[in-house]
Amino acid sequence: MKMASLLTTFCIFILSTFGMTSCFEWETLPKNVVYSCVGRKVEFPWGFKADGAGLIRDIRWLFNGVFDSMMVATEAYGYFFPTTPYSQRVRQLTNGGLELSDVTLADAGNYTVEVNVEVEGSLVSHRHSALLQVGDGLMTQGGTLTASQDPVALWDSSDHQWTIRLTCGLFNFLGQPPVQVIWTTPTMATTASSGYDNGHFYLTLSSPVKGGNYTCHIPHHLLSDVCVTESNHGNHRVTSSVLVGEVEARLSLLEAEQRTLNAKLSNLSSENMELGGGLQVIQTLTDESTDNLTLYISEQLETVRKELRREVQDLRGIAQEQQGQQRLLGEQLETVRKELRTKVQDLWGVTADLLDGPCASVNHTVLSDASRAVTHGTGLLCDKSLTLGWYRFVLNGSPAVIPTQCVELRHCGTGRPYWLDLQGKELPAAGQETDARACGTGHHSNCCELQKPISVRNCGAFFVYKLTPFSKCNRAYCAQEMDS
């Protein structure tokens, strides 16, 4: 628990023969908002120092929640007295600090320490409060992460450019969460969030935007900070993805830039009209002046007009260029749409072939989790929840297979990755099936420390596998794209 090192001093000058002064000083204070999880301990590290002629009468700790307000404990004459509801759960830290154990959701609320000091027969109270927020499970709305893309481009004032913003949340912390969200880009690179705002970590994408899946996740070593543990986390991964369309994103940025240019052009035209009115006034005045003054002002006015005309032409040229880019992007978008329609037609043809093909009688389930890729590092993926049956693998929308070579430990989004050992045989031909074994990588470079039976059938355009579930986590089957 981090403490804010603050120094608050309160002194009272005692009008006596000796002119004594009594000082009270807060040495350590907790943060204004303290976080904890159900079942854990939480500390409020209040610490003070009282010097001079003051006598500490007592110390009181108070709780003010949504439904209850009560005394937590008192300290007088060196003895600590917790109240009945807290008798087994609180203890005193230093002189004013308090520790609360076995935290529950009902413990959320405002905690106050009150130090009562007697000075020359008068009682002076010193108080400080902190708010406790308690979490049970992932401290987000709905208990899961949600990644999304803002519907319109946003202006980044720090970089002076338009950006596409992706958000990951919604966290229900009263302040910024004590964790960081990491993003994985379509190129499998990892990057930290650009910032945090209104319950969301966000990532800004500037032009040119790379399309594809962007995934946000909380690093495994930080899960406990948001009240997620292995015991209550289970098979649910603290990740979420959003698909960014490259053409649509770039078009959105161009439209935002176009609106900015149009606004500048409109403002410049207004300024030009105002300047024109001023020029007429100046022209009237110059008619009443000497010829030399008239000639000088006319030259200056012509120079200004030329500069304005040049700026207007430049802005119009930029606007025309932007319009040309918009037309080009529209043509590219139409080409993409045609290609997609062709692919859909091809897929319908492939589907028709499959209905009459070698796998027409095999009911199978598609596994398309991107973290199964052999290029992916460790994670919480676990195939304990699978049922015995046939499965097909897909990565990034393309057919995938179980790799036939050893995979290193802590890859494929899991702890123990499993690969296909054909034991000297070849993959079956189209319409054929063969039995093999799935090998689980172990420690000390043991590629087949764990084994499971497996069957593989060639369906022509893809392979299906008869898989059995695992009895423990984290173990999962690996995958790689067929062309790799």
Side-chain angles (χ1 to χ4, degrees), residues 10 44 58 93 145 186 220:
F10 181 83
F44 299 93
D58 59 53
L93 301 175
L145 287 182
H220 185 269

Side-chain angles (χ1 to χ4, degrees), residues 64-108:
N64 185 16
V66 177
F67 303 105
D68 297 309
S69 296
M70 65 183 69
M71 179 84 70
V72 177
T74 60
E75 193 266 358
Y77 304 105
Y79 293 94
F80 180 73
F81 303 98
T83 59
T84 301
Y86 295 92
S87 60
Q88 302 298 322
R89 295 201 299 136
V90 295
R91 70 183 185 93
Q92 186 178 9
L93 301 175
T94 62
N95 51 3
L98 188 71
E99 180 187 86
L100 175 63
S101 60
D102 296 327
V103 173
T104 67
L105 292 175
D107 291 327

Side-chain angles (χ1 to χ4, degrees), residues 394-414:
V394 174
L395 289 176
N396 301 319
S398 301
V401 296
I402 298 179
T404 56
Q405 294 181 349
C406 179
V407 180
E408 294 184 4
L409 193 68
R410 298 186 183 88
H411 277 70
C412 304
T414 188

Side-chain angles (χ1 to χ4, degrees), residues 223-291:
L223 290 179
S224 62
D225 292 332
V226 286
C227 303
V228 176
T229 62
E230 291 295 320
S231 61
N232 65 20
H233 194 227
N235 294 326
H236 179 70
R237 294 178 300 110
V238 191
T239 62
S240 183
S241 298
V242 57
L243 179 62
V244 176
E246 184 170 314
V247 174
E248 290 81 358
R250 295 188 178 185
L251 184 59
S252 178
L253 292 175
L254 281 175
E255 289 174 346
E257 292 175 359
Q258 179 69 37
R259 290 194 298 270
T260 301
L261 287 175
N262 290 339
K264 289 182 178 180
L265 185 59
S266 177
N267 291 336
L268 189 57
S269 297
S270 298
E271 292 175 1
N272 191 19
M273 292 178 62
E274 293 176 359
L275 184 58
L279 294 178
Q280 291 179 357
V281 175
I282 294 175
Q283 187 65 46
T284 301
L285 294 175
T286 55
D287 290 341
E288 300 175 357
S289 304
T290 62
D291 293 340

Side-chain angles (χ1 to χ4, degrees), residues 203-224:
L203 178 68
T204 56
L205 308 177
S206 55
S207 183
V209 175
K210 176 67 176 177
N213 275 315
Y214 287 78
T215 302
C216 66
H217 72 279
I218 300 175
H220 185 269
H221 68 282
L222 297 179
L223 290 179
S224 62

